[in-house]
Amino acid sequence: MTGVPASAAGGSSGAQGAASSAGASGAAAGSGSGATASGGSADGGAQGGAKSPRGAKLAAAAVNQASVWNVANLLTMLRLLLVPGFVALMLADGGYDPAWRSLAWAAFAVAMITDLFDGHLARTYNLVTDFGKIADPIADKAIMGAALICLSGLGDLPWWVTIVILGRELGITLLRFLVIRYGVIPASRGGKLKTLTQGVAVGMYVLALTGWLATLRFWVMAVAVVLTVVTGLDYVRQAIVLRRRGIAERRAALEESEA
């Protein structure tokens, strides 16, 4: 915004200065040379004014393009790319080979770790973009949904657990969109604990564990399911309160404007 007026002002003042010098030289040497000087300065000022907006647009486009390819968005893209790789590793050799399951766990762990860092980096270093706002939750749901569906498909996890967790995640996401006109439902500590517990539980099920570790993962998953349901109900409560408050504020503002 500031580059265009500055250039325009520079061109205008340059033309005036040239016209003044042309007038002075016209008095000494004749009016013909003064007209030539004035015309040349005006052309130079016009060219300078024409180039500046184009350069400003190119610079703005470069900044916008660079903002999309920041480290936070790259981590989100990596998480998206890991989803098909995770599924391939999970189902390799029938889905029960401990070696392939270990590699699948590594891919899942990398995805969970990037989930912890990309949002933090985006908020800390002002790297929030429209792409990140859309892609980040999609990547989160994709890797978790792929793991749950694979585990249930292989018979390692009951389908009702997968339905409860995915139903809650999709339902709360839809609920956020429905009440966004009234405000944003912030992520609670319970929600963050739920995400962590889900990641640990699913990761333990991805590994081919036996003995007491297999028993432990059952209880960790039980805690994850409880947190999933409890935090989901809490988000519903927050959405209802937020909607009622928003409607009341709009009604009060309407009555005030009418009065």
Side-chain angles (χ1 to χ4, degrees):
M1 293 294 293
T2 56
V4 177
S7 301
S12 177
S13 60
Q16 292 175 359
S20 299
S21 61
S25 61
S31 59
S33 60
T36 303
S38 177
S41 300
D43 292 342
Q47 291 176 358
K51 290 181 180 179
S52 293
R54 184 183 304 171
K57 290 180 180 179
L58 291 175
V63 170
N64 291 335
Q65 185 177 7
S67 65
V68 174
W69 296 96
N70 60 60
V71 63
N73 286 345
L74 290 176
L75 290 176
T76 300
M77 292 180 214
L78 173 63
R79 195 156 69 256
L80 285 170
L81 292 175
L82 282 173
V83 174
F86 166 81
V87 173
L89 292 170
M90 190 71 183
L91 302 179
D93 198 16
Y96 297 102
D97 187 279
W100 289 112
R101 293 284 285 259
S102 297
L103 292 175
W105 176 87
F108 182 80
V110 170
M112 291 294 100
I113 291 172
T114 58
D115 181 30
L116 295 176
F117 283 103
D118 60 356
H120 174 73
L121 290 173
R123 292 186 297 269
T124 302
Y125 298 101
N126 194 24
L127 301 176
V128 178
T129 62
D130 291 337
F131 171 82
K133 293 177 183 178
I134 297 173
D136 183 68
I138 292 176
D140 298 342
K141 305 299 185 293
I143 189 66
M144 183 60 69
L148 290 170
I149 292 173
C150 285
L151 289 171
S152 294
L154 292 171
D156 293 339
L157 190 67
W159 274 107
W160 70 265
V161 174
T162 296
I163 293 172
V164 167
I165 293 178
L166 293 185
R168 183 268 189 199
E169 298 300 331
L170 296 177
I172 295 303
T173 300
L174 178 61
L175 186 63
R176 287 177 184 272
F177 281 111
L178 291 177
V179 300
I180 197 169
R181 69 179 68 180
Y182 306 109
V184 177
I185 303 176
S188 63
R189 292 184 178 179
K192 295 177 181 178
L193 180 60
K194 177 270 305 178
T195 301
L196 177 61
T197 308
Q198 280 184 1
V200 173
V202 171
M204 294 179 72
Y205 269 86
V206 170
L207 289 172
L209 300 179
T210 58
W212 69 272
L213 288 175
T215 304
L216 177 63
R217 73 182 181 183
F218 169 83
W219 290 108
V220 175
M221 180 60 76
V223 173
V225 172
V226 171
L227 289 174
T228 297
V229 175
V230 171
T231 56
L233 294 175
D234 182 62
Y235 278 126
V236 172
R237 179 192 63 80
Q238 292 186 53
I240 294 174
V241 172
L242 187 64
R243 182 177 181 274
R244 288 177 178 175
R245 184 185 303 162
I247 293 176
E249 290 177 352
R250 288 188 177 185
R251 186 177 300 168
L254 182 61
E255 292 176 354
E256 183 179 352
S257 63
E258 291 177 351

